[in-house]
Amino acid sequence: MNWIIFFLVVQVLHFAGTWKLYKKAGRKSWEAAIPVYNAVVLMGIINRPKWWVILLFIPVINLLIFPVIWVEIARSFRKFDTKDTWLAILSLGFYNFYLNYVIFDQLKYNANRSIKPPSKTGEWVSSITFAIAAATFVHTYIMQPFTIPTSSLEKSLLIGDFLFVSKFHYGARVPISPIALPMVHDSIPGTGLRSYVKGIEFPYMRLPGLQKVKRNDIVVFNWPSDSLALMWGDTSDKFTYKPIDKKTNYVKRCVGIPGDSLEIKNGYIYINGKKTVLPDRAKPQFNYYVNTNTPFTADEIIHTYNVNPSEASVLNQERTEYFINLDKEHALMMKNDPKVVSIKRNIEAKGSYQPDIFPHDPQYAWSQDNYGPIYIPAKGDKVTLDKKSLPFYQRIISEYENNDFEIKDNGDIYINGVKTDQYTFKQDYFWMMGDNRQRSLDARFWGYTPFDHVVGKPVFIWMSLDQNETAINKKVRWDRLFTTVGGDGKPKSYFVYFLVALGLYYVGKEVVKRRKK
């Protein structure tokens, strides 16, 4: 509703600030009042192509185009001075009111105005504006850069990997927060200030995608539980609302899809009763207690056993007892090391209630290593609501699907004011987990991820930096540059092919340039 009100307010302001200008340009004043049509007419008045109208209705992109339109209106009535340009922009378009009412009689419409900027500065500003608009469009609807901050998906994705995340695989989500700084997430870097206008939102919409989220896909999504008011100076420690698209970006593996029944036994995932088979690039890791007769060197831990130094702890002064995070391959390698006396995987037993484990209810005494079974809802599924099922679905009903949910003192359930004991899900849900089984904040702690929280699919690693190295030849993980995220077998780097293609491009460009001479 808020965005409809906002749209109507914009239309009213546009009419109030330009109806006389339309008339001076040879049009009818009422044409400034008709939504969409008024924009088409305006493009003719400012001598700009009709397709610009489309840009005005693309969320976030329009925020970059509106200032251009305000400046173009002023210039169409011979207001070319730098001060006029800045007044048009800094007044947020209200400079039109000054033109429309205060100095209207002095204005002269320039019907044949050249659309070329009158100065080098103007040309530069115009080029930068449209470059930012193009980059914002790509970032919002096609491909978004993303950095891996944690080790939850090692060894598939490493800390320091720089990715491109495809928006079009699952369908690009139309921005829910339409008034926001382009290419910035929830806060302005270095300031702690919100990057978007709170309270004005579009309803959830998504463009058609190329595929559905498949089991074991790596997925970037907005963290469903990100609603704590611990930013922007708020220290109340109370929950607060955040728009979906401004919740923190997470990346995990989708181990369970809608309709699946999931269970974890001793750290291993079972889907519909069968042990899941992960892609060969996935290397699940677990914590191990390791005893040795001789201390490990740092080089052995990092390079021989491929361990992140932050995930290896020394437990005694003699440096012979360790708590280390290993994948299966390197655990077997360590077991065969002559200096290793014993190695044992650490598993949390099922049977004791842990409040931080979803669904956070004493009825379900589960651990992160022995969990479930749990059902993953699909759109259209109908469930019975009772004492056993409510811990799983109450958050879905009230927060993810925006219903008014109430439990009376006598135990009766009311949804949107209607007494019921059943509920039908409005969208699909997924189970997102890290491959780093015991060092990942994932679905075992917050529960289901709704489809409207899905951002995109990581497809390409263009840079990878090792946080544990300082030398440039070791800092850059050259074998990971320009590799694909998905696929079978060891990742293949296409960096050399990129350099060759880049070289051929510049050689070809130089040849064409010399021939023209």
Side-chain angles (χ1 to χ4, degrees):
M1 179 58 70
N2 287 340
W3 73 270
I4 296 177
I5 295 173
F6 174 74
F7 176 77
L8 293 176
V9 168
V10 169
Q11 294 300 316
V12 170
L13 289 175
H14 176 74
F15 173 74
T18 61
W19 66 273
K20 293 177 73 175
L21 299 179
Y22 273 66
K23 191 173 181 179
K24 176 150 288 205
R27 304 296 303 197
K28 303 293 184 182
S29 57
W30 60 263
E31 291 179 305
I34 310 301
V36 183
Y37 176 69
N38 55 11
V40 175
V41 173
L42 182 61
M43 293 307 116
I45 291 174
I46 65 176
N47 198 22
R48 291 294 180 173
K50 297 292 190 295
W51 61 265
W52 273 33
V53 174
I54 298 173
L55 301 180
L56 296 175
F57 292 92
I58 299 178
V60 182
I61 304 298
N62 52 13
L63 299 182
L64 299 170
I65 300 302
F66 280 140
V68 176
I69 299 297
W70 300 332
V71 172
E72 290 297 309
I73 290 173
R75 289 177 177 174
S76 295
F77 292 92
R78 301 183 184 275
K79 290 296 178 181
F80 294 106
D81 290 348
T82 302
K83 69 174 184 179
D84 296 303
T85 298
W86 283 111
L87 284 170
I89 295 172
L90 296 178
S91 69
L92 301 179
F94 282 94
Y95 186 59
N96 291 336
F97 283 80
Y98 175 73
L99 301 177
N100 200 57
Y101 296 106
V102 180
I103 62 169
F104 176 77
D105 293 336
Q106 304 172 25
L107 298 178
K108 291 183 179 180
Y109 175 60
N110 187 359
N112 299 314
R113 179 178 68 90
S114 172
I115 61 174
K116 185 177 180 180
S119 65
K120 285 290 183 181
T121 301
E123 186 174 351
W124 179 81
V125 171
S126 178
S127 298
I128 291 295
T129 299
F130 278 93
I132 294 175
T136 301
F137 180 82
V138 171
H139 181 277
T140 305
Y141 296 99
I142 301 176
M143 199 77 68
Q144 176 181 337
F146 188 84
T147 306
I148 298 299
T150 69
S151 63
S152 69
L153 277 172
E154 289 198 12
K155 305 298 183 185
S156 297
L157 295 176
L158 308 180
I159 296 175
D161 279 350
F162 292 80
L163 313 174
F164 284 131
V165 175
S166 165
K167 299 289 188 72
F168 57 83
H169 272 80
Y170 305 137
R173 188 178 57 195
V174 176
I176 293 170
S177 306
I179 305 181
L181 289 179
M183 296 183 289
V184 176
H185 197 52
D186 60 342
S187 60
I188 302 173
T191 67
L193 301 174
R194 271 198 303 268
S195 63
Y196 61 96
V197 175
K198 188 177 180 180
I200 298 177
E201 297 182 19
F202 280 168
Y204 166 70
M205 294 179 285
R206 188 182 291 273
L207 301 179
L210 299 180
Q211 63 183 60
K212 293 184 177 181
V213 179
K214 294 181 291 187
R215 194 181 295 120
N216 293 326
D217 275 357
I218 295 178
V219 179
V220 172
F221 56 96
N222 297 114
W223 182 31
S225 292
D226 188 4
S227 58
L228 279 174
L230 297 177
M231 54 181 60
W232 308 311
D234 188 341
T235 57
S236 64
D237 200 27
K238 295 180 180 178
F239 284 96
T240 188
Y241 173 79
K242 287 182 73 176
I244 292 171
D245 59 341
K246 295 305 177 183
K247 292 182 178 182
T248 302
N249 287 327
Y250 266 38
V251 58
K252 304 290 180 187
R253 189 180 300 280
C254 176
V255 298
I257 60 175
D260 280 347
S261 179
L262 176 143
E263 188 171 5
I264 301 174
K265 301 178 183 178
N266 294 324
Y268 296 105
I269 298 170
Y270 289 75
I271 299 295
N272 303 324
K274 297 182 180 179
K275 187 176 181 179
T276 191
V277 178
L278 294 171
D280 56 5
R281 291 189 187 179
K283 308 292 182 184
Q285 296 187 136
F286 296 94
N287 292 326
Y288 289 83
Y289 285 106
V290 181
N291 288 284
T292 67
N293 50 35
T294 305
F296 283 125
T297 65
D299 184 71
E300 284 178 309
I301 291 175
I302 296 172
H303 297 110
T304 303
Y305 295 111
N306 200 21
V307 176
N308 188 322
S310 65
E311 298 179 350
S313 303
V314 181
L315 303 181
N316 65 348
Q317 291 184 346
E318 294 76 22
R319 304 184 65 82
T320 57
E321 294 181 7
Y322 298 86
F323 190 63
I324 300 181
N325 200 29
L326 297 163
D327 59 41
K328 184 178 181 180
E329 175 188 350
H330 290 93
L332 290 173
M333 186 188 300
M334 185 173 285
K335 183 179 180 181
N336 295 322
D337 190 319
K339 69 173 62 175
V340 173
V341 176
S342 65
I343 179 171
K344 182 180 180 181
R345 188 156 65 101
N346 179 50
I347 293 295
E348 294 184 11
K350 185 176 180 178
S352 59
Y353 171 56
Q354 298 180 5
D356 59 336
I357 296 293
F358 182 81
H360 317 295
D361 190 289
Q363 296 180 82
Y364 302 97
W366 299 343
S367 71
Q368 63 176 338
D369 299 321
N370 285 281
Y371 186 94
I374 188 170
Y375 179 73
I376 304 169
K379 181 179 179 180
D381 280 354
K382 182 179 288 187
V383 293
T384 298
L385 302 178
D386 53 28
K387 185 179 179 181
K388 287 188 173 295
S389 65
L390 277 177
F392 296 101
Y393 306 131
Q394 183 171 340
R395 185 178 178 90
I396 287 180
I397 297 169
S398 62
E399 295 193 33
Y400 301 157
E401 302 199 351
N402 300 312
N403 294 287
D404 180 18
F405 180 90
E406 184 181 6
I407 301 178
K408 299 290 187 180
D409 293 338
N410 62 3
D412 289 344
I413 298 169
Y414 285 78
I415 298 178
N416 299 323
V418 178
K419 181 181 176 181
T420 184
D421 63 352
Q422 291 188 326
Y423 184 76
T424 302
F425 298 104
K426 300 176 184 177
Q427 62 176 317
D428 288 332
Y429 290 83
F430 301 88
W431 198 258
M432 307 292 189
M433 283 181 57
D435 294 345
N436 205 342
R437 288 284 188 261
Q438 293 162 317
R439 296 176 185 261
S440 175
L441 176 62
D442 55 33
R444 291 168 293 180
F445 298 91
W446 74 69
Y448 308 106
T449 295
F451 182 56
D452 63 11
H453 282 57
V454 170
V455 174
K457 180 176 183 177
V459 293
F460 195 69
I461 301 170
W462 64 273
M463 174 60 75
S464 184
L465 301 177
D466 192 336
Q467 63 176 348
N468 302 310
E469 302 288 354
T470 54
I472 186 65
N473 62 321
K474 293 183 178 180
K475 185 72 174 178
V476 178
R477 300 186 184 106
W478 298 101
D479 60 330
R480 293 184 69 80
L481 267 59
F482 285 69
T483 59
T484 57
V485 174
D488 298 321
K490 186 177 180 180
K492 180 181 179 181
S493 174
Y494 293 90
F495 185 57
V496 173
Y497 298 94
F498 168 75
L499 294 178
V500 170
L502 192 63
L504 291 174
Y505 168 77
Y506 281 107
V507 169
K509 187 177 180 180
E510 186 64 26
V511 169
V512 171
K513 183 178 178 181
R514 291 186 178 185
R515 283 183 178 179
K516 286 183 178 180
K517 292 181 179 179

